[in-house]
Amino acid sequence: MVPHLVTALTGPINELEQRIIDSMPATERWFRLEWMEHTPPFYCSVDIRNAGFKLAPVDTNLYPDGWNNLSEPMLPLAVQAAMAAIEKICPEARNLLLIPENHRQDNTFYLCNIEQLVRIFRMAGLNVRVGSIDPDIKAPTEIALPNGGSVLLEPVIRSERRLGLKDFDPCTILVNNDLSSGAPGILEDLHEQYLLPPLHAGWHVRLKSRHFASYEEVTKRFSKMLGIDPWLINPMYNQCGEVDFNNSTGLDCLRSNTDSLLGRIRRKYKEYGIQEKPFVVVKADNGTSGIGIATVRDMHDLDALEERVRKVVPVRQGGQPISNVIIQEGILTHERINDAVAEPVVYMLDRYVVGGFYRVHAHRGIDENLNAPGARYVPLAFDDSNLLPEPGKKPGASAPNRFYMYGVVARLAMLAASYELEATDPLLEELS
């Protein structure tokens, strides 16, 4: 099932689609040269919003879950990408230890994601076991899943400088925990073991504002090559630090930066003749899962925000208080599955797009966060005939072309993440 745009098929996005498809050799060469200079994150997912007049990422997750939402035809792509990634990092790899999130034993949906990751890396030629660093897991615990499968969680064993399981010594450790609460000491100072992603990819270090600063840099160069306005693929943003919502401090920064950003968006809307009302999204500068999100459409919203935000944005994932916020340009989504609002989420392993799905919410509007209870997931229609773009098709008429465009934007976000990780790598900081 392929969602359809309800906006007219003559807007800027279709011009962008045509430009990207026409420039496909130059686009792929551009990415190829970038990956010669930069190392992609091991895996990631990118949430994308398609407003019809603008297509841009709104979040990039370096510890993606939801792999169970990918369709079966996508599995061979994921396995091949996993093989390429492992060969590049550790060609002799034999054993892989997968570390899931803590306290998720009752969340069988999340554990189905872990089961799918185990499946992918086993098919890539690795012995895979799931090692939990959750103190509640004291003995091997098998959990049945609603799909008929199961996941065996085993307590990790930490020696002086290595991490493993009983009778299982991995050379590679894959973490599926975004470390919002900080880096566990048990994962630090490992000897001759590859930890993927590195610890500084966690939300205890990452900032959304830093990521989107890198993304802005990437899109400026890509857009210059393509001859387009970077705004068509880049969400504008401002950032405020040292905000205390409970004590009402730092809110002047929030007010001035929100007003400034709304003004910049209005000017762009006027330039393109867009009749929609602009809005911004205020959220924690670090963290995931849609926690701590408030929508502001005009300065009157900010008059009531102080009281409301105490209920909406008090803490981020992991229970940590919010002190830094990002004010991000809000991007409508004009895609639908039946009558429900939808947004694409693209999944990548190494530098390869391996699939994705639509996050669909029947009770949310086109300007609201869809990553909320009640969301459902529909795999992107990447069947055998839809793996490659179709040059020559009329803009807006080809699902493969639309999906290819999603993949281009997602790879730009992945490249920005590689810039971001290089800038925060403690080893590179020591060398400099």
Side-chain angles (χ1 to χ4, degrees):
M1 187 189 310
V2 180
H4 63 278
L5 282 174
V6 298
T7 46
L9 297 177
T10 57
I13 283 300
N14 289 304
E15 296 172 16
L16 176 64
E17 178 183 307
Q18 189 66 60
R19 185 70 61 89
I20 287 178
I21 295 301
D22 290 346
S23 304
M24 186 169 54
T27 294
E28 295 304 324
R29 179 179 183 273
W30 188 88
F31 277 117
R32 190 164 59 248
L33 294 176
E34 286 291 327
W35 295 131
M36 290 175 66
E37 300 292 332
H38 305 281
T39 301
F42 184 77
Y43 60 178
C44 73
S45 65
V46 178
D47 295 2
I48 296 174
R49 302 275 285 200
N50 189 345
F53 55 83
K54 179 166 185 162
L55 178 74
V58 294
D59 201 12
T60 301
N61 186 0
L62 301 185
Y63 296 87
D65 58 13
W67 290 89
N68 51 307
N69 294 316
L70 274 61
S71 67
E72 283 295 313
M74 300 178 189
L75 193 60
L77 291 175
V79 171
Q80 290 172 5
M83 287 178 175
I86 292 295
E87 286 172 4
K88 185 166 59 179
I89 294 166
C90 181
E92 300 85 9
R94 178 180 301 172
N95 297 333
L96 182 141
L97 180 65
L98 178 56
I99 306 288
E101 293 183 1
N102 292 350
H103 312 298
R104 301 294 292 268
Q105 293 86 288
D106 296 331
N107 189 335
T108 54
F109 185 82
Y110 172 75
L111 293 178
C112 285
N113 152 75
I114 293 297
E115 180 198 36
Q116 182 76 311
L117 281 172
V118 170
R119 184 183 179 197
I120 288 170
F121 286 98
R122 279 182 177 160
M123 293 176 71
L126 297 169
N127 301 315
V128 186
R129 287 165 70 173
V130 183
S132 177
I133 59 175
D134 188 336
D136 294 338
I137 301 295
K138 297 180 171 59
T141 304
E142 187 165 11
I143 300 175
L145 303 177
N147 60 10
S150 65
V151 167
L152 179 64
L153 301 178
E154 301 180 71
V156 299
I157 298 172
R158 175 67 195 249
S159 62
E160 183 178 356
R161 301 188 69 183
R162 291 181 73 85
L163 191 68
L165 305 174
K166 184 179 180 181
D167 302 322
F168 188 76
D169 183 36
C171 64
T172 306
I173 299 167
L174 178 61
V175 181
N176 196 243
N177 177 331
D178 66 17
L179 309 181
S180 290
S181 300
I186 197 170
L187 297 179
E188 296 178 341
D189 300 320
L190 298 175
H191 180 62
E192 294 183 352
Q193 286 182 306
Y194 294 94
L195 185 69
L196 305 170
L199 287 179
H200 67 280
W203 279 121
H204 63 299
V205 173
R206 289 189 72 204
L207 293 174
K208 289 183 173 74
S209 56
R210 185 185 292 126
H211 173 74
F212 281 102
S214 296
Y215 183 78
E216 184 174 19
E217 178 186 348
V218 166
T219 53
K220 281 181 178 177
R221 293 192 294 104
F222 179 75
S223 298
K224 184 177 180 180
M225 183 272 294
L226 213 59
I228 62 169
D229 180 354
W231 179 75
L232 294 173
I233 55 174
N234 179 36
M236 296 188 288
Y237 73 94
N238 280 333
Q239 189 264 354
C240 286
E242 303 304 321
V243 176
D244 186 334
F245 292 103
N246 291 321
N247 294 317
S248 300
T249 58
L251 296 184
D252 287 344
C253 173
L254 181 62
R255 180 176 294 276
S256 62
N257 278 285
T258 299
D259 191 28
S260 169
L261 183 56
L262 282 169
R264 291 163 60 197
I265 300 170
R266 290 189 191 103
R267 287 191 290 274
K268 274 295 182 183
Y269 278 24
K270 184 177 180 180
E271 177 185 343
Y272 282 94
I274 296 164
Q275 301 302 313
E276 305 283 357
K277 185 172 184 177
F279 66 100
V280 298
V281 177
V282 179
K283 51 189 175 182
D285 206 2
N286 53 354
T288 56
S289 297
I291 292 177
I293 291 180
T295 299
V296 177
R297 296 172 181 83
D298 55 46
M299 296 306 291
H300 294 296
D301 287 342
L302 278 182
D303 294 336
L305 182 62
E306 184 174 345
E307 182 63 30
R308 180 161 50 90
V309 85
R310 289 194 185 104
K311 301 175 183 178
V312 179
V313 198
V315 295
R316 61 183 171 86
Q317 189 175 18
Q320 303 300 309
I322 290 175
S323 60
N324 296 286
V325 298
I326 182 173
I327 307 152
Q328 190 175 61
E329 176 185 358
I331 300 175
L332 303 170
T333 177
H334 276 304
E335 298 203 72
R336 296 282 195 277
I337 290 184
N338 297 327
D339 292 328
V341 177
E343 65 183 7
V345 183
V346 176
Y347 278 65
M348 289 160 287
L349 257 168
D350 194 61
R351 59 192 179 97
Y352 304 103
V353 174
V354 298
F357 56 81
Y358 281 97
R359 183 183 289 119
V360 184
H361 208 301
H363 305 293
R364 290 283 174 126
I366 62 174
D367 60 351
E368 293 184 292
N369 170 41
L370 305 188
N371 191 8
R376 62 188 180 90
Y377 307 92
V378 177
L380 291 174
F382 278 153
D383 58 26
D384 290 341
S385 64
N386 281 343
L387 292 177
L388 299 173
E390 299 176 331
K393 286 280 187 175
K394 181 180 177 182
S398 167
N401 287 356
R402 183 59 48 86
F403 297 156
Y404 176 74
M405 191 165 60
Y406 291 162
V408 168
V409 171
R411 283 183 288 166
L412 291 172
M414 178 170 58
L415 180 59
S418 73
Y419 283 31
E420 177 193 356
L421 292 181
E422 289 167 7
T424 56
D425 188 336
L427 294 178
L428 293 180
E429 288 180 1
E430 289 176 8
L431 292 174
S432 61

